Amino acid sequence: MVLMKRDTVYKGLVGAFGACLLLAGCSSAQKPAVLGPVGGSATGSPSTSSSATPTGASGSTSSSASSAASSSSAAPAPTSVASSSGEWSYSASVPGDADIAAALKAFQNYAAISYQMAIKVQYDNNLVGYADGNVLSLANNFVTQERHDDLISRGPEIVRVTGVTKDGGTPPIVTVTTCTDDTKFPMYSSYGPKKGQILALAPKTPTPDIYKVHRGADGKWRVNAVTPETTPCSV
């Protein structure tokens, strides 16, 4: 996600990530299952499409479902989802598991709303439906810092889910691994003599992020922990 990409500007915010995994309740040795490739591009339309607009995001969206398993007792086949809104795009392969599907939908909405907050420099109360704990605070603090420092984020962001797994807890926690491309998403001065100038360079390569999504007492899934990685990845 964009909130962790610019070391210079976000140095004060990144420190908050240290306690994120304490919220997760999962072993650090647990590895997310690598998903198959997503059919179609993040902005193109697959051969079979249906509406899949995330709450809080507008624009064109598309979703295609793989053929269902021939046996009625088999788990549903994964569904490839591709969504875009302006310069933001998202793609994922969703396994046939109700918990994982709900967690990924919550994550998709979190990612879409967070991007809009960054480019509009505005808070969004809808985020409380998809994020809580440290992640919610981090998103709001990011907007506060943008306003304080007269900064604004501009450019495309591509989020691709590369892995997902569910632990055996009650309620379960879903781990979502993404490859996020913010390489054309720098931060600009929004006021004063340097208005329009880039003050924080975009990352040089796409990088992975690991998110934890949990189900709250109200039954809703929310992102509540995130760990940035430094190894380059490919969207």
Side-chain angles (χ1 to χ4, degrees), residues 72-172:
S72 59
S73 61
T79 298
S80 295
V81 176
S83 179
S84 62
S85 176
E87 293 190 292
W88 180 85
S89 61
Y90 168 91
S91 61
S93 180
V94 184
D97 179 280
D99 287 335
I100 292 178
L104 279 176
K105 186 61 178 177
F107 172 75
Q108 179 181 350
N109 282 290
Y110 154 78
I113 293 173
S114 297
Y115 175 81
Q116 292 296 319
M117 290 171 63
I119 65 172
K120 294 179 179 179
V121 196
Q122 293 179 358
Y123 303 104
D124 190 332
N125 291 332
N126 290 315
L127 192 63
V128 299
Y130 309 107
D132 61 12
N134 186 68
V135 172
L136 178 62
S137 298
L138 185 63
N140 288 323
N141 290 344
F142 173 79
V143 174
T144 299
Q145 185 167 345
E146 272 193 315
R147 290 184 170 189
H148 180 269
D149 295 337
D150 295 324
L151 295 171
I152 189 168
S153 301
R154 282 284 186 266
E157 179 176 70
I158 302 172
V159 180
R160 182 172 69 89
V161 175
T162 58
V164 62
T165 189
K166 181 177 71 172
D167 73 2
T170 305

Side-chain angles (χ1 to χ4, degrees), residues 4 17 19-25 107 110 131-136 173-174 176 209-214 222-228:
M4 66 186 72
F17 286 118
C20 284
L21 290 182
L22 296 178
L23 301 172
F107 172 75
Y110 154 78
D132 61 12
N134 186 68
V135 172
L136 178 62
I173 293 173
V174 173
V176 178
D209 303 311
I210 301 173
Y211 298 85
K212 302 293 184 179
V213 190
H214 75 127
R222 293 178 175 88
V223 182
N224 74 329
V226 57
T227 303

